[in-house]
Amino acid sequence: MNVNVMSRDSAMRYCNEKHDNAVVMISISDPYITYPDSPFCTESNKVVAIQPLFFTDADRPGKDVYNRQVSENDLITEFDAWLVKRLLNLYPDTDVIVHCDAGISRSSGVAAAILKAKTGDDSQIFNSPKFRPNMRCYRIVLDE
């Protein structure tokens, strides 16, 4: 299983292209932003399932990356992690794309947890300078 981290723009481009291998997508959105487009499944793009999640980009209550005040209710939850686990259990050997707005923190935190749980190795995320994993996402998904 391959796990890839993308920005929302990259995920949308992916959905508009033809691919040979099936993937599932974890689509992380900010609950306070309205997006013009959402990722989609087609026979051509081989995205076989999408799990939407809605939570802000913060590790704890306080200020998020947009400098908004957020509460515990705005953050990733154990239920979100359960939804990730359910998707992976439904499609156990399928490649995974995890995307958020920028593809830097929330998606890399979730992706690192998936890699650690499935392969025992999250180094491709933690050793890359392009990612800054959201540690709350990592811990909650890994615990599930």
Side-chain angles (χ1 to χ4, degrees):
M1 166 200 316
N2 292 313
V3 179
N4 294 298
V5 176
M6 294 183 181
S7 67
R8 178 173 298 283
D9 289 341
S10 295
M12 290 305 302
R13 280 194 301 277
Y14 187 94
C15 288
N16 283 295
E17 297 169 348
K18 182 178 175 166
H19 300 280
D20 295 327
N21 297 323
V23 299
V24 295
M25 188 176 288
I26 299 166
S27 176
I28 304 170
S29 299
D30 187 293
Y32 300 107
I33 296 176
T34 301
Y35 300 96
D37 297 310
S38 295
F40 53 91
C41 303
T42 67
E43 285 187 33
S44 176
N45 69 19
K46 299 286 193 217
V47 178
V48 296
I50 299 173
Q51 177 58 65
L53 302 174
F54 299 90
F55 54 87
T56 58
D57 195 354
D59 282 34
R60 64 188 65 83
K63 299 286 185 175
D64 70 1
V65 297
Y66 298 108
N67 206 31
R68 296 177 304 207
Q69 190 68 33
V70 297
S71 72
E72 188 77 23
N73 294 334
D74 297 313
L75 306 175
I76 189 173
T77 66
E78 291 173 359
F79 182 69
D80 294 322
W82 179 83
L83 290 171
V84 169
K85 181 179 176 181
R86 184 184 69 163
L87 178 72
L88 298 177
N89 286 341
L90 288 170
Y91 301 92
D93 297 318
T94 307
D95 290 344
V96 179
I97 293 171
V98 186
H99 89 79
C100 61
D101 292 342
I104 296 172
S105 58
R106 290 174 292 177
S107 55
S108 67
V110 170
I114 292 168
L115 286 165
K116 184 71 171 177
K118 295 290 186 179
T119 70
D121 184 11
D122 53 18
S123 63
Q124 82 179 59
I125 302 296
F126 284 106
N127 291 344
S128 173
K130 66 182 180 178
F131 301 126
R132 289 191 319 261
N134 178 307
M135 293 309 294
R136 180 184 176 100
C137 292
Y138 178 77
R139 285 188 302 274
I140 288 179
V141 172
L142 189 57
D143 286 348
E144 182 59 41

